[in-house]
Each structure stands twice: as structure tokens, then as C-alpha cells.
Amino acid sequence: MAGIVHEKLIHKYYNEKTFKTLILQRDNRKCYLCGKYGDTIDHIIPKSKGGISSFQNCCCACEDCNRSKGNLSLERYLYYIRNFREASYH
């Protein structure tokens, strides 16, 4: 996570390890997507779709959810999960 001071100076607030630790602590290591234990962070708006690594755009995730969500938006991923679960019950 960094901020642009001016066009030739970028100030880095946290290194990757510290940033990850802060997100995991904030979310009590609980996966935002399924509620299980989480040890990775995920971007709510994927980086491939313009999302940035910020406290507002990152959340704790478990390995399974992080892997299966891929580059889907949070809304799209939850839509597929809900419909898949409903379809598997019928």
C-alpha cells in the first residue's frame, strides 16, 4: 500500500507482509466469503479489474475461497456460490 506524494515520489506505507498481517488481524482470520479460518487476503475488486491493495478493497479469505473466486468480483462470486448451492440441493 502506497500513496503518491507527487509525480516523482511514492511513499510506501506498509510492506506486503505487514499489510497482510493487518488485514488478517482486522478480520480475526475469518474468511469474508465463507466464515471459515482464513490465512490469505483477497481483493474484493480484483486487481485485474482495476482494484487496488487498500484496506477497503482487501479482506481475509481461506485458501479454497481465494482460489475458486479467482478474478471474479465479490458480487459475481457470491452469486455463483448461492446458485450452485441451491442447484445442488434439488
Side-chain angles (χ1 to χ4, degrees):
M1 189 168 138
I4 299 173
V5 177
H6 58 75
E7 68 182 50
K8 294 184 180 186
L9 179 62
I10 297 174
H11 177 73
K12 192 170 186 179
Y13 297 116
Y14 306 103
N15 62 30
E16 288 181 34
K17 184 177 180 180
T18 302
F19 182 73
K20 178 181 177 181
T21 299
L22 291 170
I23 297 292
L24 296 176
Q25 288 174 347
R26 180 197 67 194
D27 296 347
N28 295 314
R29 292 190 173 267
K30 182 177 177 183
C31 178
Y32 185 75
L33 303 165
C34 72
K36 295 179 184 174
Y37 174 81
D39 58 358
T40 66
I41 63 170
D42 189 34
H43 291 80
I44 296 169
I45 300 170
K47 289 172 72 173
S48 65
K49 303 225 177 8
I52 61 171
S53 295
S54 69
F55 288 108
Q56 294 82 10
N57 191 48
C58 290
C59 62
C60 177
C62 68
E63 284 277 337
D64 291 336
C65 287
N66 200 345
R67 188 176 307 114
S68 62
K69 179 178 169 283
N71 72 342
L72 295 174
S73 68
L74 177 63
E75 294 81 19
R76 181 63 90 189
Y77 178 73
L78 293 175
Y79 171 81
Y80 285 124
I81 292 299
R82 284 188 205 114
N83 287 327
F84 175 74
R85 286 185 183 156
E86 289 177 12
S88 65
Y89 291 129
H90 298 293

